[in-house]
């Protein structure tokens, strides 16, 4: 996709900056490895759990319940985020490439948990290649163009808020709000919404929401 780029290396500078700013204070944040939005399933949270080489457990045999007493706060915070986002939560056990158990990947879809551990789940064993195929397919389903992303952002705003957005650098109605333009020259706004100019997606959302509001008021 032209609007996206391949995954690069993580930037740890943000983590180091936060650590410096907190100056030893315990963090209130929960870091999860991946957040993406699926067009049908909504938000999906991934947390990748690396099994270190030389341990007695492997990706297939390791599970958060085995070390719940040591790290329950992290998983409870992930569960809270899952609930707040109304998301799907995946925990992924894996081993580094080149190690003995590199070909084991365990996918845990968490359906429920409480303070004592995970109480409902679906566990799937993958090979490394099998997980790659599943993961890449899911990622492809979540890819969106820049235009689609912009439209969704405006879609989540109210008609009143969109109405206060100001068109910029337009000769005829530059500096005016969408609401003011609509009241004076709705035809211009309809034509503008069909262009690829800046804020055209906002205009399109605004017009649709105005129409829906009018229909509700006249029913």
């Amino acid at each position: 996709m032209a609007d996206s780029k391949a995954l690069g290396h993580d930037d740890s500078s943000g983590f180091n900056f936060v650590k410096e700013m907190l100056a030893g204070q315990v963090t209130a944040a929960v870091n999860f490895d991946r957040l993406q939005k699926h067009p049908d399933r909504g938000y999906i949270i991934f947390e990748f759990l690396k099994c270190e080489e030389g341990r007695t457990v492997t990706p297939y045999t390791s599970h958060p319940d085995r070390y719940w007493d040591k790290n329950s706060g992290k998983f409870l915070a992930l569960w809270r985020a899952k609930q707040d986002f109304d998301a799907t939560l995946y925990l992924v056990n894996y081993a580094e490439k080149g190690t003995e158990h590199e070909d084991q990947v365990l996918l845990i879809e968490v359906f429920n948990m409480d303070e004592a551990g995970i109480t409902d789940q679906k566990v799937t064993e993958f090979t490394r290649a099998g997980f790659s195929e599943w993961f890449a397919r899911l990622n492809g389903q979540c890819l969106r163009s820049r235009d689609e992303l912009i439209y969704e952002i405006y879609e989540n705003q109210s008609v009143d808020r969109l109405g206060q957005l100001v068109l910029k650098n337009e000769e005829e109605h530059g500096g005016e709000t969408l609401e003011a333009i609509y009241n004076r020259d709705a035809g211009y706004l309809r034509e503008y919404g069909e262009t690829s100019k800046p804020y055209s997606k906002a205009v399109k959302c605004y017009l649709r929401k105005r129409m829906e509001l009018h229909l509700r008021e006249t029913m």
Side-chain angles (χ1 to χ4, degrees):
M1 174 176 295
D3 292 336
S4 299
K5 63 179 182 180
L7 186 65
H9 294 292
D10 288 339
D11 181 4
S12 61
S13 61
F15 174 82
N16 293 331
F17 178 72
V18 168
K19 186 177 180 181
E20 177 192 347
M21 294 300 101
L22 289 178
Q25 185 184 50
V26 176
T27 181
V30 55
N31 295 321
F32 43 82
D33 293 311
R34 189 175 177 89
L35 175 67
Q36 60 194 68
K37 188 177 182 183
H38 191 278
D40 301 317
R41 299 173 58 186
Y43 282 103
I44 301 174
I45 296 172
F46 280 94
E47 179 66 12
F48 297 102
L49 308 171
K50 184 170 70 173
C51 292
E52 299 291 347
E53 190 175 13
R55 299 286 179 86
T56 57
V57 294
T58 72
Y60 283 170
T61 61
S62 182
H63 191 278
D65 286 349
R66 295 176 65 108
Y67 48 94
W68 190 261
D69 291 343
K70 296 181 180 179
N71 214 9
S72 62
K74 173 181 181 177
F75 295 110
L76 291 171
L78 282 168
W79 184 248
R80 181 179 62 181
K82 177 260 190 257
Q83 292 176 314
D84 289 344
F85 279 101
D86 191 23
T88 299
L89 174 59
Y90 287 122
L91 308 177
V92 183
N93 289 347
Y94 74 101
E96 283 192 356
K97 193 169 182 62
T99 61
E100 180 182 0
H101 302 294
E102 67 172 2
D103 207 33
Q104 294 186 12
V105 180
L106 188 74
L107 180 70
I108 305 170
E109 182 177 0
V110 183
F111 297 127
N112 199 13
M113 75 168 64
D114 59 26
E115 62 189 85
I118 296 173
T119 60
D120 192 10
Q121 63 188 351
K122 178 183 177 182
V123 176
T124 306
E125 294 183 355
F126 283 98
T127 63
R128 203 176 192 88
F131 179 77
S132 176
E133 181 181 350
W134 176 87
F135 189 61
R137 182 169 62 249
L138 181 64
N139 182 71
Q141 293 168 356
C142 296
L143 286 173
R144 288 293 176 270
S145 70
R146 182 176 182 273
D147 284 348
E148 289 174 309
L149 181 59
I150 290 172
Y151 189 87
E152 286 186 16
I153 289 172
Y154 290 127
E155 176 71 16
N156 289 325
Q157 297 184 18
S158 68
V159 65
D160 290 335
R161 182 161 186 169
L162 287 171
Q164 296 309 305
L165 191 149
V166 175
L167 282 188
K168 302 173 183 176
N169 303 321
E170 283 299 304
E171 292 182 5
E172 190 170 350
H173 290 288
E176 297 182 44
T177 66
L178 300 191
E179 183 179 17
I181 300 171
Y182 182 85
N183 291 333
R184 289 177 49 200
D185 194 352
Y188 170 86
L189 211 57
R190 293 189 186 95
E191 290 180 4
Y192 193 94
E194 297 303 320
T195 71
S196 58
K197 294 181 179 181
Y199 300 109
S200 61
K201 306 298 182 297
V203 169
K204 206 164 191 175
C205 281
Y206 176 70
L207 292 172
R208 186 182 60 75
K209 288 175 181 284
R210 284 287 303 242
M211 180 176 292
E212 290 176 351
L213 181 62
H214 175 72
L215 290 174
R216 287 197 298 269
E217 291 175 345
T218 55
M219 287 180 64

